[in-house]
Amino acid sequence: MSGGLLVAGTTSDAGKSVVTAGICRWLVRQGVKVAPFKAQNMSLNSFVTRDGAEIGRAQAMQAQACRVEPTALMNPVLLKPGGERSSQVVLLGRPVGEMSARGYHGGRQERLLGTVLDSLAELRATHDAVICEGAGSPAEINLRRTDIVNMGIARGAGLPVLVVGDIDRGGVFASFFGTVALLAPEDQALVAGYLVNKFRGDVSLLEPGLDMLHGLTGRRTYGVLPFRHGLGIDEEDGLRVSLRGTVRESAVAPPVGEDVLRVAVCAVPLMSNFTDVDALAAEPGVVVRFVDRPEELADADLVIVPGTRGTVRALQWLRERGLADAIARRAAERRPVLGICGGFQLLGEHIEDDVESRAGHVDGLGLLPVRVRFAREKTLTRPVGTALGERVEGYEIHHGVARVAGGDPFLDGCRVGQTWGTHWHGSLESDGFRRAFLREVAAAAGRRFVPARDTSFAALREEQLDRLGDLIEHHADTDALWRLIESGAPRGLPFIPPGAPA
């Protein structure tokens, strides 16, 4: 059996995803054949594997950190929220239905443990090590009985656990202690120690606290990772777009031309795959911001209506906020608008939806000659094509089937004037196409913006993953970390009362 590790966290957004990716990149640089794994992911940012399976984007990026092709085994359960209380359940890359949170945690989740453990075992059989990522906190005592992503998977597969804490939030020592103290004895026996994330300042000032934590819990700290601007991988939720942060916060080349290009992204409800704009923000001189008011579109050179898990709901939101009228005025003035996936669908004339919103017949914005009908079967593909004279790769994740009845062809959608629409996510990551598109936008906007000739989005991603690997290599005890992965949690770890409640 190969080695393994579960990276858990004291909270959501403690840094589990980036630490997992960093450990993966560090291991692969040592010649280790490694794979990532997250038993259950809740995210609207997803990706399509080459064989047409849908998984979380974070696991796709972690696979890139491992230099392996992502597969459905790396994220066997994906939950895609469709509202406050329900999610679409994607099992081994395929949607199997909608379910309420109560229904899922009331029995369905527990029944998936066998599938999750089988997927992990299959990965471990073909790799030297599998680095697993937890979700939220392992000490969510209300959910422990049905847990399949934190201590449930750790106990089921005998994985040692490393708990990550974000010290930038404060209270990291209490979080570490409390996390362990709320676990059952059998779970505590697998928690090997801690990893401090996002530390600012002199580590020597932290060391007395780490020594006291070791004395209190019998568990060591495996490293203190310093705070670094712009580090991250494709987020599960929120609006922290990793490469956009890098461009804004680090020293980058000035615009090649005389002007910058301003991009406004409508922050629609249930926004999905907002990572599509990372590639734009990676271009010197392109400023990307998320907006929710019509006046914020006034000075934008390009408005993007992104993907969403609720096309009809997003359409209603745009109308209620006055954004729909502002976008329509832009289109009439031949000012650039780009709709991606759900954003493309709502730019059309008509939507028939008895699947996602069950709203039936709904009028779209009428900016593109497109009629959309929602099918129960989800489209999951990795298309390749050409546009603006350049090769384009992308991926599609949607229930809506578009019938295009006019305009100029644009990928799988169309273009009318300066209004563009396509189902293809990720198309802007194709460097040649992105540059050609930005030249069109700049010309239409009257901006003296020139895209850089040497920006490689793939190279920027690799650089980001190497920085994460460097963080582990330089600031974690890698010898101790490898022993943990190879041999499991140390024996004889003490029990910290009170433990999990009955």
Side-chain angles (χ1 to χ4, degrees), residues 38 70 153 364 385 414 418 437 442 455 465 478 491:
K38 185 162 185 173
I153 190 73
C414 66
Q418 290 299 324
F437 178 69
T455 301
L465 293 169
T478 52
R491 295 181 180 275

Side-chain angles (χ1 to χ4, degrees), residues 25 32 36 83 92 151 156 193 225 230 264 269 286 291 359 376 384 398 409 417 442 455 460 465 477:
R25 178 50 60 102
V32 177
L92 290 172
M151 301 313 300
L225 308 184
V286 175
V291 304
R376 297 199 176 277
V384 177
H398 54 91
T455 301
L460 285 172
L465 293 169
D477 186 340

Side-chain angles (χ1 to χ4, degrees), residues 33-370:
K33 186 179 181 183
V34 60
F37 181 81
K38 185 162 185 173
Q40 173 193 291
N41 199 346
M42 177 173 279
S43 178
L44 287 173
N45 284 334
S46 57
F47 183 75
V48 179
T49 66
R50 293 205 178 276
D51 59 353
E54 185 180 8
I55 65 171
R57 277 198 64 94
Q59 281 61 65
M61 287 292 288
Q62 289 164 354
Q64 186 174 343
C66 298
R67 298 182 178 139
V68 297
E69 192 68 31
T71 72
L73 293 174
M74 297 172 183
N75 178 207
V77 181
L78 172 63
L79 305 179
K80 303 194 72 174
E84 294 295 326
R85 297 185 178 182
S86 67
S87 295
Q88 182 181 65
V89 180
V90 179
L91 181 61
L92 290 172
R94 300 291 174 183
V96 294
E98 296 279 334
M99 186 164 289
S100 69
R102 180 178 294 274
Y104 184 69
H105 290 287
R108 178 65 184 267
Q109 183 183 33
E110 196 173 11
R111 293 196 297 272
L112 292 174
L113 181 59
T115 300
V116 163
L117 289 172
D118 288 345
S119 298
L120 177 57
E122 192 170 339
L123 282 176
R124 296 183 79 179
T126 55
H127 293 80
D128 300 326
V130 177
I131 308 303
C132 307
E133 178 189 343
S137 163
E140 290 168 348
I141 53 179
N142 56 313
L143 301 176
R144 175 62 186 92
R145 181 181 63 82
T146 59
D147 170 48
I148 64 170
V149 66
N150 289 306
M151 301 313 300
I153 190 73
R155 200 192 296 189
L159 295 172
V161 179
L162 186 68
V163 181
V164 178
D166 179 358
I167 197 170
D168 200 45
R169 294 182 171 189
V172 74
F173 292 115
S175 297
F176 281 144
F177 184 90
T179 296
V180 178
L182 281 176
L183 299 179
E186 297 85 353
D187 290 341
Q188 287 195 22
L190 296 171
V191 179
Y194 318 104
L195 189 71
V196 177
N197 193 27
K198 301 181 186 178
F199 179 72
R200 306 172 190 251
D202 185 347
V203 176
S204 65
L205 299 177
L206 187 66
E207 287 171 348
L210 300 179
D211 291 340
M212 285 186 274
L213 183 67
H214 185 232
L216 286 166
T217 68
R219 290 158 174 86
R220 57 164 297 172
T221 298
Y222 283 76
V224 178
L225 308 184
F227 185 94
R228 291 287 186 266
H229 284 293
L231 280 183
I233 62 174
D234 291 358
E235 302 286 349
E236 293 183 3
D237 47 34
L239 291 180
R240 292 170 299 279
V241 182
S242 57
L243 291 178
R244 180 167 62 93
T246 302
V247 171
R248 282 183 166 183
E249 296 174 2
S250 61
V252 297
V256 176
E258 297 178 42
D259 290 340
V260 299
L261 211 60
R262 295 172 177 84
V263 179
V265 183
C266 296
V268 297
L270 298 174
M271 182 165 49
S272 62
N273 287 71
F274 56 78
T275 48
D276 284 334
V277 304
D278 279 6
L280 290 179
E283 286 283 350
V286 175
V287 179
V288 177
R289 65 183 187 272
F290 290 86
V291 304
D292 59 6
R293 295 178 298 179
E295 57 267 28
E296 294 177 295
L297 305 187
D299 67 342
D301 302 306
L302 169 66
V303 170
I304 294 179
V305 187
T308 170
R309 246 283 270 157
T311 300
V312 171
R313 178 175 169 183
L315 180 59
Q316 181 181 5
W317 180 86
L318 290 171
R319 286 178 168 141
E320 290 172 347
R321 296 206 164 226
L323 285 161
D325 290 339
I327 292 170
R329 286 194 298 270
R330 288 184 63 91
E333 295 165 0
R334 298 178 68 85
R335 299 176 65 195
V337 176
L338 171 64
I340 302 174
C341 199
F344 163 45
Q345 294 168 6
L346 60 81
L347 292 180
E349 298 170 346
H350 186 80
I351 298 170
E352 183 182 341
D353 181 11
D354 295 318
V355 176
E356 189 175 78
S357 68
R358 300 180 183 176
H361 299 275
V362 178
D363 289 332
L365 297 186
L367 306 182
L368 292 173
V370 175

